[in-house]
Amino acid sequence: MSLLDIFRKREPSKLPFTTDIHCHILPGVDDGSPDAATSADLVERMAGWGISRIIATPHVTEATFENTPDILDPALEELQDELRRRGIDLPVTRSSENRIDDFFRDQLDKGLITLMPNNYILVECSFIQEPWQLDRFLFDLKIKGLRPILAHPERYFYYFEHNSSRYDELHRAGTLFQVNVLSLAGAYSKVEKKTAEELIKRGYVDFLGTDLHNHRHADCIDAYLASSDARRHFQALSGRLLNDSAFI
């Protein structure tokens, strides 16, 4: 290897998937993108990471983001219009990131939750404590023919600080795990990053998602993709992610 090879700056990695199943790019509906112009800017940056299909997942959360199709579908149309105006040919659809609470349960019972293809559904726990009767709820989803994906399990402190064996129980029961690229990038804290890496070691990372909300997040992912951490993580995940095969 020549000195030129040693000192040549490495090209940033691409993400190891082309379908993002967790991001907050619908304009004006949650704590993500505030408007269609920002949303389209974020989509352009995602394309640069190798993303060619986006399933946007705005929050559905009691009291804070009580989103319904009547709110989310016009936001999706607004974004799609802006992408067409810019000549960006990247398909964006939507589902939702569903906090397990009474509002979600009610919307689910009414048939107002938009599923991902093949009946996948992205759910998240409270950041304060595990939802009441979580195992029963996840089991009931499966009985209904749904396929629950637990969003960012590496971010629930009551697991990684107090009960890490809970990851084993949930995953072995058939709940799929989606880890945030931002966690692997160290965007939250060293603890979430370490936990995400531990889930990779256990073979529990079924999906990655950007969880992209804004340009600050995008800057963090840009820096991560140029790092040795990204290459190490992606090598460990090679052939294991379901992002691109689950929705065919």
Side-chain angles (χ1 to χ4, degrees):
M1 179 181 292
S2 69
L3 288 176
L4 180 61
D5 291 329
I6 294 173
F7 292 106
R8 181 185 290 128
K9 184 177 180 180
R10 287 180 178 269
E11 287 294 317
S13 301
K14 298 290 187 181
L15 289 170
F17 55 90
T18 62
T19 301
D20 190 10
I21 70 161
H22 185 176
C23 61
H24 298 268
I25 60 166
L26 289 196
V29 297
D30 61 9
D31 59 345
S33 173
D35 52 59
T38 301
S39 299
D41 290 343
L42 293 173
V43 170
E44 288 187 289
R45 297 187 71 171
M46 296 169 82
W49 303 333
I51 297 296
S52 60
R53 180 185 185 187
I54 297 171
I55 303 174
T57 52
H59 289 291
V60 171
T61 311
E62 188 171 30
T64 52
F65 303 113
E66 295 190 344
N67 283 312
T68 62
D70 288 344
I71 297 170
L72 298 178
D73 288 342
L76 175 61
E77 291 175 11
E78 185 181 2
L79 172 55
Q80 291 172 335
D81 287 344
E82 178 64 15
L83 293 175
R84 281 191 290 269
R85 189 185 70 79
R86 296 191 187 193
I88 300 172
D89 185 20
L90 195 158
V92 179
T93 57
R94 73 149 190 92
S95 181
S96 51
E97 180 186 12
N98 306 288
R99 179 72 57 85
I100 300 174
D101 56 27
D102 288 341
F103 180 76
F104 169 49
R105 293 171 194 267
D106 180 65
Q107 295 296 293
L108 190 63
D109 289 343
K110 292 178 178 177
L112 294 176
I113 296 297
T114 302
L115 301 174
M116 296 182 183
N118 296 326
N119 286 344
Y120 287 97
I121 184 169
L122 187 68
V123 299
E124 72 164 345
C125 297
S126 164
F127 287 99
I128 299 173
Q129 63 183 13
E130 183 179 274
W132 181 67
Q133 292 191 337
L134 175 62
D135 297 271
R136 177 58 184 268
F137 179 74
L138 294 171
F139 178 77
D140 287 345
L141 289 181
K142 295 165 195 169
I143 289 296
K144 293 177 181 178
L146 306 184
R147 295 163 146 178
I149 303 170
L150 182 62
H152 44 62
E154 76 280 5
R155 299 193 65 194
Y156 304 131
F157 80 94
Y158 43 84
Y159 293 157
F160 63 69
E161 286 189 356
H162 304 297
N163 189 12
S164 66
S165 64
R166 193 74 172 106
Y167 292 125
D168 303 315
E169 296 169 357
L170 290 169
H171 199 266
R172 288 171 183 169
T175 297
L176 300 168
F177 285 2
Q178 175 264 304
V179 162
N180 285 355
V181 174
L182 288 166
S183 296
L184 292 171
Y188 309 115
S189 78
K190 292 180 180 179
V191 179
E192 279 96 337
K193 179 176 180 177
K194 181 179 178 181
T195 304
E197 291 175 334
E198 175 61 28
L199 292 175
I200 292 176
K201 289 179 183 178
R202 296 190 194 186
Y204 291 171
V205 180
D206 305 292
F207 298 88
L208 287 181
T210 63
D211 201 8
L212 183 67
H213 285 64
N214 49 52
H215 283 295
R216 179 177 59 82
H217 282 171
D219 291 342
C220 183
I221 293 174
D222 278 339
Y224 170 64
L225 290 176
S227 72
S228 59
D229 274 349
R231 292 186 288 275
R232 175 170 57 87
H233 295 151
F234 298 166
Q235 183 177 12
L237 288 166
S238 179
R240 292 162 54 181
L241 294 175
L242 300 177
N243 289 63
D244 300 323
S245 62
F247 308 108
I248 295 174

